[in-house]
Amino acid sequence: MIKHHLTEDLLMAYSAGALSEAFSLAVATHISLCDECRAAAESYDAVGGAVMVSTDAAPVSDSCLSNTLAAIREADTETPAPRLTDTVLPSPLAEYVGGGVDKIKWKSAGMGVKQAILPTNDDAVARLLYIPAGAAVPDHGHGGLELTCVLQGAFRDEDMRFARGDIEVATEEVDHTPIADISEDCICLAVTDAPLKFKGWLPRLAQPFLGI
Amino acid sequence: MKEDNHGYWIDQMRRISENRDEDAFVALFQHFAPRMKSFLMRSGSDNALAEEIVQDVMTTVWRKAHLFNPTRASVSTWIYTIARNRRVDLIRRQKRPEPEDLPWGPEQEPDQTDLIGLQQESEQLGVALSALPEKQRILIEKAYFGDLSHGEIAAETGLPLGTIKSRIRLALDRLRHAMS
Ligand SMILES: [Zn+2]
């Protein structure tokens, strides 16, 4: 049962195609696991469709139509290949990893925490984090937006608990210290649009490892 | 007008997917292509790029017509999502991660009540959008055309961010109300 959802701003921006690739990945990951936000995203798409058809039409050249007709006469029907799936990683993430959890190329980030940065364009950074049961992600504030979607296990932040599918939307006002549940190692997707600012000497040592 | 009738476009889609009917495709093209082009130009592409994307999107419509599911989306919504994804590809030059597919597929026979319900909602949505107060409608359009965050709309319009957010929220409430 998912308790923590996307904001309306994020859903609308995703539908409008206005988010950077890494944030779109976090939104697509949550929607893959959350029927409620999937339905909301589809409503925003419907608004997009209505906006598009309500636009004053711009004249299209005759050659655009004739080129399109020539193209469709050459074209076969297209059925996309089945998408990669995995029990932990929803399809959009599995596609970035190139398979399931066993294909993630983890790098140590110190203190038992591991991370893998995903190949999105560099407007924002998407990373998978592996947090051993009971361990904390270094205490940090942010310069911008951070989305964290849980894929396995759970973490606590202040008095809230985030389990599989839940997404935490943290803004620059929030200082937070996610701590993994002791029951199971936690895997999550974390997306940031600005470098994380860690506090204290120990976490700062971890910064070069985290690549930020 | 038949163009405002969502059932009419669903019929054209069926003729395309089942009979590869070019007349149905031309009807679809003549209605959607000029609107899509205008949408793309307002999103920042020039005339040539907009027509290139229109051609590409309409060819995809032809090739994927059998995947269109009228109980999940109206024809305009479906075409919008294809155009939006092409715009992200070509203008923003980035990939567009899509959610995992739902376990059911388009091959199921559509449920008539779902189908009619969705057509009615789509028609009501179109009416509600054009009935929005001007100030709200412009912001909704900017959010979809302009590729702008709410913060960027604030910078462009000189309106406070809070005003923009509350106008967009009001507009969405009205649209939601129209669809329920
Ligand atoms: Zn949700």
Side-chain angles (χ1 to χ4, degrees):
Chain A
M1 187 60 201
I2 290 173
K3 292 206 185 78
H4 302 278
H5 296 279
L6 290 160
T7 60
E8 303 234 298
D9 286 10
L10 284 165
L11 282 163
M12 187 176 182
Y14 177 69
S15 176
L19 290 180
S20 60
E21 186 180 344
F23 282 110
S24 294
L25 179 58
V27 171
T29 299
H30 176 77
I31 289 175
S32 299
L33 300 169
C34 177
D35 293 343
E36 204 177 312
C37 287
R38 185 190 289 268
E42 286 174 358
S43 308
Y44 284 108
D45 287 349
V47 175
V51 168
M52 185 179 82
V53 293
S54 73
T55 315
D56 297 331
V60 171
S61 68
D62 293 342
S63 64
C64 185
L65 175 58
S66 57
N67 289 343
T68 307
L69 288 174
I72 67 168
R73 285 170 191 147
E74 298 289 308
D76 290 326
T77 56
E78 180 183 330
T79 303
R83 299 179 66 186
L84 286 174
T85 51
D86 176 69
T87 50
V88 176
L89 306 180
S91 299
L93 266 180
E95 285 159 358
Y96 276 83
V97 167
V101 182
D102 55 319
K103 288 281 192 299
I104 302 172
K105 295 189 181 71
W106 294 113
K107 290 204 169 99
S108 172
M111 296 170 289
V113 176
K114 294 186 284 185
Q115 70 155 351
I117 293 185
L118 301 175
T120 62
N121 72 351
D122 50 15
D123 296 343
V125 181
R127 52 164 64 77
L128 287 163
L129 286 172
Y130 183 99
I131 311 160
V137 175
D139 183 17
H140 60 280
H142 330 209
L145 179 66
E146 179 175 18
L147 301 183
T148 311
C149 186
V150 179
L151 304 161
Q152 175 191 298
F155 70 80
R156 283 177 188 284
D157 195 356
E158 306 293 325
D159 52 356
M160 287 182 297
R161 183 172 187 274
F162 296 82
R164 178 168 166 83
D166 281 328
I167 190 157
E168 181 176 38
V169 181
T171 51
E172 46 199 307
E173 298 89 52
V174 185
D175 268 0
H176 68 160
T177 313
I179 300 174
D181 258 18
I182 46 173
S183 52
E184 195 184 355
D185 293 346
C186 178
I187 297 177
C188 53
L189 170 69
V191 178
T192 47
D193 68 358
L196 298 179
K197 291 176 263 179
F198 288 105
K199 297 173 176 172
W201 66 273
L202 188 61
R204 201 173 311 149
L205 282 182
Q207 283 198 39
F209 296 104
L210 287 163
I212 43 193
Chain B
M1 258 192 354
K2 68 180 184 195
E3 284 79 12
D4 295 327
N5 178 341
H6 286 254
Y8 173 76
W9 296 117
I10 292 170
D11 290 342
Q12 306 314 304
M13 285 302 299
R14 195 174 296 127
R15 288 167 59 195
I16 292 169
S17 70
E18 288 172 8
N19 311 326
R20 308 311 273 162
D21 184 329
E22 278 193 18
D23 293 340
F25 181 79
V26 169
L28 207 72
F29 187 99
Q30 281 168 345
H31 180 67
F32 287 101
R35 290 168 173 81
M36 191 194 312
K37 181 178 171 185
S38 159
F39 165 75
L40 291 163
M41 291 187 69
R42 290 179 65 176
S43 311
S45 44
D46 63 20
N47 187 65
L49 181 60
E51 291 208 346
E52 189 188 318
I53 297 177
V54 165
Q55 182 184 329
D56 193 281
V57 170
M58 292 309 296
T59 307
T60 302
V61 166
W62 174 266
R63 299 184 67 188
K64 293 191 171 174
H66 61 297
L67 301 173
F68 169 68
N69 179 342
T71 64
R72 297 288 309 283
S74 68
V75 177
S76 47
T77 301
W78 187 63
I79 294 180
Y80 164 74
T81 59
I82 298 172
R84 180 227 19 230
N85 292 1
R86 260 341 245 152
R87 179 164 70 88
V88 169
D89 264 4
L90 289 174
I91 300 180
R92 289 188 64 106
R93 295 180 185 285
Q94 64 184 35
K95 281 196 274 187
R96 159 97 188 170
E98 288 285 335
E100 187 156 313
D101 301 324
L102 287 171
W104 59 79
E107 58 284 336
Q108 281 173 330
E109 196 51 41
D111 180 295
Q112 280 304 314
T113 18
D114 287 357
L115 208 147
I116 291 163
L118 194 113
Q119 278 177 48
Q120 283 172 346
E121 280 175 25
S122 308
E123 280 156 26
Q124 285 157 354
L125 176 62
V127 172
L129 183 72
S130 55
L132 280 179
E134 178 86 1
K135 285 174 176 174
Q136 292 176 15
R137 192 172 43 78
I138 287 172
L139 290 181
I140 293 284
E141 287 181 354
K142 277 195 187 298
Y144 280 92
F145 291 138
D147 200 10
L148 295 176
S149 68
H150 295 176
E152 287 164 332
I153 297 174
E156 197 192 277
T157 57
L159 290 168
L161 185 58
T163 308
I164 288 169
K165 283 185 189 262
S166 67
R167 275 187 197 163
I168 288 180
R169 175 142 308 138
L170 276 173
L172 291 172
D173 284 347
R174 283 178 194 243
L175 297 179
R176 222 173 267 129
H177 185 74
M179 283 194 285
S180 62

